Amino acid sequence: MMNLYHELSQQCSKATTEKYSTSFSSAIKLLHNDMRVPIFNIYGFVLFSDEIVDTFHQFNKEKLLA
């Protein structure tokens, strides 16, 4: 079950990165294969909080981040 969770999380992180930043996604694909998944994972993880801080000014950011 943990493998399924990790696989799905990685797929979500990659899809999120590719949808939000085509240029960053292209740059990641230039890296060695061993580095791609971890970079996609990190970017996918922090992207949502960054988007909340930078974009959702009319909403309660503290609540959204929680």
Side-chain angles (χ1 to χ4, degrees):
M1 189 57 85
M2 186 58 81
N3 287 340
L4 176 62
Y5 171 78
H6 285 158
E7 182 181 330
L8 182 58
S9 295
Q10 290 172 354
Q11 290 172 0
C12 289
S13 292
K14 184 176 181 187
T16 299
T17 303
E18 290 174 340
K19 289 286 186 183
Y20 268 88
S21 181
T22 55
S23 60
F24 194 71
S25 295
S26 296
I28 292 172
K29 292 173 184 174
L30 296 174
L31 297 173
H32 188 272
N33 284 343
D34 293 347
M35 296 298 298
R36 291 179 193 169
V37 170
I39 299 297
F40 274 122
N41 289 347
I42 292 167
Y43 191 81
F45 178 72
V46 301
L47 184 99
F48 289 112
S49 58
D50 185 59
E51 187 69 20
I52 289 168
V53 170
D54 291 345
T55 306
F56 293 91
H57 303 300
Q58 67 276 22
F59 296 94
N60 182 336
K61 292 180 184 183
E62 184 178 348
K63 184 176 181 179
L64 291 173
L65 289 168

